[in-house]
Amino acid sequence: MNKKLIKVHASDNVAVALVNLKAGEVLSFDGKEINVLSDIKSKHKIALQKFESGDRIIMYGVLVGSANGTIEKGDILTTENVKHQSEKVTGRTETFQWEAPNVEKWKDRTFLGYHREDGQVGTENVWLFFPLVFCENRNVETLKEVFEKELLKKKENPHQMLLRSLVSGGEETEIAEKSVDVFDNIEVKFITHPGGCGGIRQDSESLARLLAGYVNNPNVAGATVLSLGCQNLQISIFKDTLNGINPNMNKPVLIYEQQQMGTVNEMLSNIIKDSFEAIKKANNIERKPAPLSKLRVGLECGGSDGFSGISANPTLGAVSDILSALKGTAILAEFPELCGVEQELVNRCVDDEKGEKFLELMNAFEKSVIDAGSGFDMNPSPGNIKDGLITDAMKSAGAAKKGGTSPVQDVLDYGEYITKPGLNLLCTPGNDVESTTAMVGSGANVVLFTTGLGTPTGNPIAPIIKVSSNTELAQRMPDIIDIETGAVIRGEKTIEEMADEMLEFIINVASGNIKTKARILNQNDFIPWRRGVSL
């Protein structure tokens, strides 16, 4: 590939290095010569003009920062010479019109999913154990050990076998092949968390909405719920929340309150007997064809690099647009990583009410961060910065590409459940696991997760498809990457071609034909967002 630079948008005044550049190189780009003034690693940004202090820096066609002093044409952009800056938004500025992609080849396609009585369709069939309060975490862990040992028949951990051989001073022991699972059509998963009591009542109510969303998620066949009895998150609150999300839900939900059941042994014995019978019944549910409109795809990025907004994220955006055109659903979250692109998203909202709710949630979130002594400008991580994402607005402009170009059909606060097909905005933190946890709690039955640096995140009930922005990462960490988009960077594939390939992969995962790397690694991350304080 001879191309060394790329300008993402015609109005940009910076470009991205596609390869490492050496000081003294002379490049021909965009009809002009550029003298490279510093060594610039791939993924980092080069100035296409001279900037004076305060000058606006444009990338992805939006304001992503301002010069913090003079930056010569051909020099590298860094955290020292650029500071975060984004446009202020007060409301809609233009009428939005969307040209939907041609989805003729997808409209009759199906995936094999688990059909629930309320019309939702799951991509997995999970029986879920979880506590209403952290006091029950130990009992959930005990149940996990019992059920996993007897139902899943897991082979021993190779690292455990290695340590055993070191302790004994002998040769490494050969690991026996994995036994066949007792049940072939259901997975048993376990969640623990640090909440449910000790914080403000709003945190318990928020946790109730999240847990109720997990039960209502189409990937869940039923649940076993443990309560202590005296905690803030009472059983009645959880039941009312679940009924509020879906008054017509007929899934089996087994609830146990320890303070009403005597000894731990008696309680666990009852739970094991009841849950085993319910799991046996849930195992009879089989996959059947479902239209792609039943897919609800969460859009996530973590460990992003300077290529994420050029290859992986736009590919997710194209998939999101295809799903929207098919009356499927896509969820764009991580509100701190939408800072700087609010105007575009407000303009894309289907009505003023949705746009106003989005801005209210963004402003309230940002105020809480500032009140805590920080700001959205602190969002890029050291890894992001090292790989070229030097301001929050720059990171956000690339992250927002995951949402494609379709209209925003709804705006949801944390814990609200999806009711409208199309693109939904969901208020979550930028933290990978907190955001992924929230999207699944709002109904996502599969999540696309882009990364440029490598992130091993998974989820207990939804498949997480890990998408690499570059080929090097996929080759270096093949055990966590499912699909890679480096061909876009090399110019070998278009975004549209990559999106078609990705949607085929999603269909195979949703049908149970492909197991994601996160599922193979048994990565089951679950972190609720705690917005309040401890009391």
Side-chain angles (χ1 to χ4, degrees):
M1 180 187 70
N2 297 322
K3 197 173 182 182
K4 294 187 175 183
L5 298 177
I6 184 171
K7 189 165 74 168
V8 183
H9 190 275
S11 64
D12 291 356
N13 51 24
V14 298
V16 183
L18 296 176
V19 297
N20 293 337
L21 303 175
K22 288 288 187 182
E25 280 190 68
V26 179
L27 306 178
S28 178
F29 180 73
D30 220 15
K32 300 176 182 177
E33 279 195 351
I34 299 177
N35 294 302
V36 181
L37 301 183
S38 308
D39 289 347
I40 301 176
K41 291 184 177 180
S42 67
K43 308 178 187 179
H44 285 260
K45 315 303 179 288
I46 184 173
L48 297 179
Q49 65 177 55
K50 182 177 180 179
F51 295 96
E52 300 292 351
S53 182
D55 283 353
R56 292 158 58 92
I57 295 172
I58 307 297
M59 188 176 173
Y60 297 99
V62 299
L63 178 66
V64 297
S66 60
N68 192 29
T70 301
I71 306 174
E72 297 292 342
K73 179 181 176 181
D75 212 349
I76 185 174
L77 273 64
T78 69
T79 54
E80 284 74 35
N81 60 23
V82 176
K83 59 183 179 181
H84 168 82
Q85 186 176 341
S86 60
E87 300 284 9
K88 299 301 178 185
V89 182
T90 57
R92 190 189 301 271
T93 59
E94 61 184 47
T95 302
F96 176 74
Q97 290 185 321
W98 183 51
E99 185 176 343
N102 186 333
V103 293
E104 188 66 24
K105 64 182 175 183
W106 299 108
K107 66 182 181 65
D108 295 324
R109 291 291 301 278
T110 61
F111 70 98
L112 294 175
Y114 295 96
H115 293 247
R116 308 303 177 188
E117 290 185 23
D118 60 5
Q120 297 186 95
V121 179
T123 62
E124 296 192 351
N125 195 35
V126 175
W127 187 273
L128 187 64
F129 287 77
F130 63 85
L132 293 183
V133 62
F134 61 84
C135 307
E136 292 297 320
N137 281 349
R138 182 180 180 279
N139 288 329
V140 172
E141 292 288 357
T142 299
L143 291 166
K144 178 181 180 183
E145 182 179 359
V146 170
F147 275 87
E148 285 192 345
K149 184 175 182 179
E150 295 304 318
L151 294 188
L152 306 185
K153 301 290 186 184
K154 289 188 174 181
K155 65 184 179 183
E156 293 197 68
N157 188 312
H159 303 107
Q160 182 177 348
M161 300 295 291
L162 172 61
L163 180 58
R164 183 180 299 167
S165 69
L166 293 173
V167 170
S168 65
E171 296 292 326
E172 289 189 30
T173 306
E174 187 174 338
I175 300 170
E177 288 297 314
K178 183 178 185 288
S179 301
V180 177
D181 294 348
V182 173
F183 297 125
D184 58 3
N185 210 29
I186 191 163
E187 293 182 88
V188 182
K189 294 291 183 176
F190 301 82
I191 285 174
T192 57
H193 59 78
C197 201
I200 58 175
R201 294 293 193 272
Q202 290 92 327
D203 269 336
S204 291
E205 293 165 358
S206 176
L207 180 61
R209 287 193 296 273
L210 180 68
L211 293 173
Y214 268 67
V215 174
N216 193 55
N217 188 292
N219 290 0
V220 171
T224 298
V225 183
L226 276 64
S227 168
L228 178 60
C230 57
Q231 73 273 359
N232 285 346
L233 179 42
Q234 290 284 295
I235 291 175
S236 59
I237 294 174
F238 173 72
K239 285 183 174 179
D240 289 344
T241 305
L242 190 57
N243 185 65
I245 290 178
N246 189 352
N248 299 315
M249 194 192 72
N250 292 319
K251 293 179 184 178
V253 181
L254 312 179
I255 304 178
Y256 301 86
E257 187 161 276
Q258 183 172 356
Q259 290 172 346
Q260 302 297 321
M261 296 190 69
T263 68
V264 171
N265 181 61
E266 290 172 335
M267 181 180 74
L268 293 180
S269 295
N270 286 328
I271 290 173
I272 291 169
K273 291 175 185 176
D274 297 344
S275 299
F276 180 71
E277 290 302 318
I279 292 168
K280 278 202 301 184
K281 292 179 181 178
N283 186 59
N284 294 325
I285 305 171
E286 296 182 349
R287 292 182 181 273
K288 296 178 181 178
L292 300 188
S293 60
K294 294 297 183 179
L295 287 174
R296 291 173 169 176
V297 177
L299 307 168
E300 179 67 33
C301 57
S304 299
D305 70 347
F307 286 163
S308 292
I310 302 172
S311 58
N313 291 349
T315 300
L316 264 61
V319 171
S320 172
D321 285 347
I322 293 170
L323 288 175
S324 293
L326 292 168
K327 306 302 181 185
T329 305
I331 309 170
L332 181 63
E334 302 175 287
F335 271 29
E337 298 182 10
L338 300 180
C339 174
V341 294
E342 295 99 328
Q343 189 64 71
E344 177 199 339
L345 293 171
V346 168
N347 289 345
R348 285 167 59 185
C349 286
V350 293
D351 55 48
D352 290 340
E353 181 182 357
K354 302 291 188 299
E356 290 166 4
K357 182 177 180 180
F358 171 59
L359 290 180
E360 287 171 2
L361 289 171
M362 282 288 289
N363 292 336
F365 194 167
E366 186 169 25
K367 182 179 183 302
S368 70
V369 174
I370 292 171
D371 290 345
S374 188
F376 281 175
D377 59 314
M378 299 298 290
N379 179 259
S381 70
N384 295 150
I385 293 168
K386 182 181 178 182
D387 261 41
L389 301 177
I390 59 174
T391 74
D392 181 60
M394 184 181 291
K395 180 179 179 182
S396 297
K401 293 298 179 183
K402 301 192 302 291
T405 62
S406 68
V408 175
Q409 299 292 341
D410 207 358
V411 177
L412 307 175
D413 197 0
Y414 181 82
E416 291 185 312
Y417 203 84
I418 294 167
T419 61
K420 294 181 175 65
L423 181 63
N424 286 245
L425 303 182
L426 174 64
C427 183
T428 76
N431 176 282
D432 308 345
V433 181
E434 286 178 316
S435 177
T436 302
T437 297
M439 287 191 289
V440 175
S442 289
N445 55 13
V446 63
V447 176
L448 296 174
F449 189 122
T450 70
T451 182
L453 304 176
T455 307
T457 301
N459 183 268
I461 70 168
I464 310 297
I465 299 173
K466 212 62 60 61
V467 182
S468 170
S469 69
N470 62 87
T471 301
E472 181 186 2
L473 170 61
Q475 293 173 342
R476 187 173 68 252
M477 304 179 77
D479 57 329
I480 71 166
I481 299 300
D482 295 293
I483 187 169
E484 59 105 348
T485 58
V488 173
I489 297 296
R490 295 190 299 274
E492 297 169 3
K493 290 183 181 179
T494 66
I495 293 293
E496 291 72 24
E497 290 170 338
M498 198 74 242
D500 284 352
E501 185 177 321
M502 187 172 293
L503 187 49
E504 289 285 0
F505 192 89
I506 294 170
I507 292 170
N508 273 296
V509 170
S511 300
N513 299 327
I514 295 177
K515 185 173 285 191
T516 64
K517 300 295 179 63
R519 186 61 83 227
I520 293 171
L521 291 172
N522 200 30
Q523 193 86 31
N524 299 302
D525 303 308
F526 178 86
I527 302 180
W529 183 20
R530 190 166 185 172
R531 296 166 101 168
V533 297
S534 291
L535 296 176

